[in-house]
Amino acid sequence: MNYENIVLDFLNGITTITINRPKKLNALNKDTINELHSAFDAADADANTKVIIITGSGEKAFVAGADISEFAHFGIDEGGKLAAQGQKILFDFVEKLGTPVIAAVNGFALGGGLELAMACHFRLASTNAKMGLPEVSLGVIPGYGGTQRLPQLVGKGRAMEMVMTAGMIDADTALSYGLVNHVVELEELMPLCHKIAGKIMRNSSVAIAKAIKAINANYIDGKDGYQVEIKQFGKCFGTEDFKEGTTAFLEKRKAEFSGK
Ligand code: COA
C-alpha cells in the first residue's frame, strides 16, 4: 500500500508509525485510518518488528481527533457505521495486536487521538501534551472506545468529569491519573520510547503476545481473565522461547529468544 498520510520508519526491531497531516494537526480522516490499519497489520506480521511506536508529526499534535469535516453532515446510520468501522479496523485492532504498541503522545491528543493513544498498550507523553475527550462540545460522544478505555485507565469519576467538561488535562495531570506512564521533554520522548522498547525486546516476544491477550481479557465482557491466563500460561510451555529462557537461566547465561 502507498501511504500518503503516514510515514513508516524501521530501526533496530522498532517500527515507528508517524501520522503525517501536520496542517490538520494529524486529524484522523478515513484514508488515514485505513492506512494505519494496513501499517499496523504489516508491522505485526513482520517478524523483525518487535515493538511498534506511534506518534504524530510536528511539534504540536499527536492527533487532534477524528476529522470533523468528514462527519459533520452524517446522519444516524452513517454515524453508527463510522464508529463501528473505526473501532474494528483501528482501535480494537491495535489493542489486540500481539506486538507491543507504545503511543508517543507529542502534543494534542484529543477525541479520536486520545482514543488511539488509549488503544495502544501504554503511553508516554511530552511535557507539551494535552489530552481530552471534547466530543460533547460538538454534540456527540466518544465513539472510538473512549467511554470504555478512559474509565479503565483513570477511573470512572475522572472519566466522567473529563468527558462531561470536554476539557483538556496537561501531561503531569495525565501522569498522576495513570493515563500515561512517563512524561519527558519533547526531545527526550522518542529516545525514552526506544529505551523502553529495548527492554521489551530482550524478552520473549511469543510470551509477551500471550501476556497481552491475558491482560486484555479482563476488559472483555463475559470473559474470565483468570481462565485466559491459565490457557495462555500453559501454551507457553510448548514454545521454543520457554525452553530457551528456562535453560539459559539454569545455565547462568543470557537467553537468545527466537520468538517461536
Ligand atoms: N478535524 C478536522 N480538522 C482539524 C481538527 C479535527 N479534529 N483539529 C484541528 N483541525 C484543523 C483545523 O481546522 C485547522 O485547519 P485550517 O488551518 O484548514 O483551518 C488546523 O487543523 C489547525 O487547527 P487550529 O484549530 O487552527 O489550531 P489551534 O492551535 O488554534 O487549536 C486545537 C488547536 C486542537 C485546540 C483545535 O484545533 C481543536 O479544538 N481541534 C478539534 C479538537 C476536537 O474537538 N477533537 C475531537 C473531534 S471528535
Side-chain angles (χ1 to χ4, degrees), residues 5-257:
N5 300 285
I6 62 174
V7 175
L8 298 184
D9 172 67
F10 178 82
L11 182 70
N12 299 333
I14 302 168
T15 291
T16 300
I17 303 174
T18 305
I19 301 171
N20 190 30
R21 299 183 75 213
K23 286 186 182 146
K24 294 291 173 189
L25 303 186
N26 304 320
L28 296 176
N29 60 0
K30 196 171 169 223
D31 289 347
T32 307
I33 288 177
N34 287 334
E35 288 181 20
L36 284 170
H37 169 81
S38 170
F40 274 112
D41 196 22
D44 187 53
D46 170 19
N48 294 320
T49 294
K50 301 296 182 193
V51 174
I52 302 167
I53 299 172
I54 177 146
T55 194
S57 71
E59 299 197 339
K60 197 168 168 186
F62 173 71
V63 171
D67 193 318
I68 299 167
S69 65
E70 272 192 350
F71 63 75
H73 60 284
F74 277 9
I76 292 173
D77 284 352
E78 290 165 299
K81 279 183 195 150
L82 179 77
Q85 175 71 356
Q87 289 195 18
K88 184 175 159 201
I89 71 167
L90 184 57
F91 299 82
D92 290 0
F93 188 78
V94 167
E95 183 170 55
K96 287 181 190 151
L97 286 183
T99 308
V101 185
I102 305 173
V105 180
N106 60 319
F108 288 114
L110 302 174
L114 180 55
E115 289 172 302
L116 179 58
M118 292 193 295
C120 296
H121 297 132
F122 60 91
R123 290 143 292 283
L124 275 63
S126 51
T127 47
N128 61 316
K130 294 245 182 325
M131 285 156 262
L133 292 179
E135 284 86 347
V136 298
S137 71
L138 299 165
V140 68
I141 69 168
Y144 287 146
T147 64
Q148 305 306 299
R149 293 192 183 99
L150 187 61
Q152 286 165 11
L153 288 163
V154 307
K156 186 174 167 186
R158 284 169 175 159
M160 285 283 190
E161 184 180 340
M162 282 178 69
V163 170
M164 288 178 195
T165 60
M168 293 184 210
I169 58 170
D170 62 19
D172 284 338
T173 306
L175 182 65
S176 74
Y177 279 12
L179 185 54
V180 300
N181 293 5
H182 306 275
V183 174
V184 290
E185 294 299 327
L186 185 56
E187 60 273 17
E188 292 164 25
L189 183 61
M190 292 313 279
L192 183 58
C193 286
H194 278 249
K195 190 174 167 198
I196 294 172
K199 289 185 184 175
I200 293 172
M201 285 189 285
R202 277 185 230 140
N203 302 312
S204 159
S205 58
V206 69
I208 286 172
K210 290 177 180 9
I212 292 171
K213 200 175 259 185
I215 292 169
N216 278 343
N218 180 52
Y219 300 98
I220 303 170
D221 262 353
K223 273 253 178 187
D224 180 346
Y226 292 98
Q227 289 304 319
V228 174
E229 182 183 281
I230 289 166
K231 195 171 163 198
Q232 296 302 321
F233 178 82
K235 281 187 174 180
C236 291
F237 288 70
T239 65
E240 287 178 18
D241 277 4
F242 172 74
K243 285 188 189 69
E244 168 61 12
T246 49
T247 307
F249 177 81
L250 295 172
E251 291 175 354
K252 301 191 186 305
R253 62 173 171 81
K254 204 171 152 287
E256 295 289 341
F257 291 115

